Amino acid sequence: MTIIDRARITSLHVFCAVLVAAILVRPLITEALSAPVLRTAATVFVAVCVQALPFLVLGVLLSGAIAAFVSPALLRRALPAHPMAAVPVAGAAGLVLPGCECASVPVARRLMAQGVPDGAALTFLLAAPAINPVVLVATAVAFPGEPRMVLARAIGSLATACVMGWLWQRAGRAGWIAARARRAAPAPSGAGQWAVLAETARHDLVSAGGFLVLGGLTAAAFSVLVPPEWMDALAGQVLLAVVVMAVLAVVLALCSEADAFVAASLSMLPLLPRLAFLVVGPAVDVKLIALQAGTFGQAFAARFAPATFVVAVMCAVAAGLVVLP
């Protein structure tokens, strides 16, 4: 072993250095965080993360179990032969085959490679992370006094998935999807089902956990940095609030198991804009656009993402007007 190898700095060394520095300056950190504004922000951040974390863990475990033990061929065999009829069945499959946004993209790719109609595969891609039981239960917990939010979210998200599936089946072009997406994926070798479950869950938890922290920080910042009169003005302009929350959902790219708690923390806004946040987020966000472009090609993402955004906003507003007061 050379001197360079012995002197190499690893992430563990960096962590230990940061920990020692934090201990040394602890009095200064404590004094800085004693301000009322920072206490309020810290309370909001911790509340959002602590409430959402159990559902996030449960969601990634279920996603890992689906990846390890359920073959996409099972869904393919259950779908009707007619492409248009296969769309709502693929959407309903999201209730029993849950998955996070990141996991649904490779599943949709495998479905296409096995001959499932494009519209049905894309419907499942949108429905699985949006209407699965973990997400709906998390929404019920986040909005304990508003059970209609659960129904409105389920209707709006399922409608978004089915409308996009039908639109793509009718107007989409096979050439817009990269040829690599239709090639059969190689079977995993050297890894058992439990190893696949553990690796999938670990990957999804690390990825989604970072976005949960980002969402908690955003909610905390909203609570202390945005003047109340701004939020009051936005609350009075419902359509503008819907657009703002929809764009915020795209930018934040939260995991669907955790986004309800961030939406619930924005209690100064009416329910309809927060519903748009919950419907748009699992359907289209920056990380999904990147994943879709890498999996299905840039031509696909350039058409699918903007169309999904418009459809999701319209379906959220329609569901809200019907279900919410």
Side-chain angles (χ1 to χ4, degrees):
M1 182 180 293
T2 66
I3 297 176
I4 294 178
D5 290 333
R6 289 197 297 268
R8 183 176 299 163
I9 298 176
T10 66
S11 58
L12 180 60
H13 296 142
V14 175
F15 173 76
C16 292
V18 172
L19 183 61
V20 170
I23 293 174
L24 294 176
V25 300
R26 180 175 175 273
L28 297 177
I29 296 175
T30 302
E31 183 179 354
L33 294 178
S34 62
V37 171
L38 291 180
R39 286 182 178 178
T40 301
T43 300
V44 173
F45 172 76
V46 172
V48 169
C49 292
V50 169
Q51 284 183 306
L53 189 58
F55 295 97
L56 182 61
V57 172
L58 179 59
V60 300
L61 288 176
L62 286 175
S63 177
I66 294 297
F69 299 107
V70 179
S71 169
L74 178 65
L75 179 59
R76 183 197 57 178
R77 292 193 296 268
L79 292 175
H82 196 283
M84 289 297 186
V87 166
V89 176
L95 285 169
V96 295
L97 295 177
C100 72
E101 294 92 329
C102 301
S104 66
V105 173
V107 172
R109 176 191 177 278
R110 290 198 296 270
L111 290 173
M112 288 183 182
Q114 292 180 352
V116 170
D118 293 348
L122 296 176
T123 299
F124 181 80
L125 182 151
L126 295 176
I131 65 169
N132 68 70
V134 177
V135 170
L136 297 183
V137 171
T139 306
V141 173
F143 292 89
E146 294 292 344
R148 290 168 295 182
M149 280 292 286
V150 180
L151 179 61
R153 180 175 193 177
I155 293 175
S157 298
L158 182 59
T160 299
C162 291
V163 169
M164 282 304 302
W166 281 320
L167 283 177
W168 193 269
Q169 196 61 45
R170 186 166 184 91
R173 300 289 182 269
W176 292 344
I177 298 177
R180 63 177 179 272
R182 302 187 188 280
R183 300 193 195 104
S189 59
Q193 291 176 316
W194 290 105
V196 172
L197 187 156
E199 177 59 24
T200 302
R202 183 201 63 79
H203 175 272
D204 290 349
L205 182 61
V206 171
S207 175
F211 288 106
L212 172 58
V213 171
L214 176 61
L217 290 174
T218 302
F222 262 86
S223 66
V224 297
L225 296 180
V226 179
E229 55 270 20
W230 288 15
M231 299 304 295
D232 292 339
L234 188 62
Q237 301 288 331
V238 178
L239 291 181
L240 177 61
V242 166
V243 175
V244 170
M245 291 299 291
V247 173
L248 187 64
V250 174
V251 174
L252 287 184
L254 298 178
C255 181
S256 58
E257 284 91 0
D259 58 1
F261 298 95
V262 176
S265 70
L266 303 176
S267 56
M268 67 290 293
L269 293 177
L271 291 177
L272 185 58
R274 289 187 281 170
L275 175 63
F277 179 85
L278 297 179
V279 173
V280 171
V284 53
D285 59 38
V286 289
K287 73 175 184 299
L288 270 177
I289 294 173
L291 282 170
Q292 291 169 3
T295 303
F296 302 112
Q298 294 181 359
F300 169 85
R303 293 168 173 85
F304 190 75
T308 303
F309 179 83
V310 174
V311 170
V313 172
M314 294 176 63
C315 290
V317 171
L321 292 177
V322 172
V323 179
L324 300 178

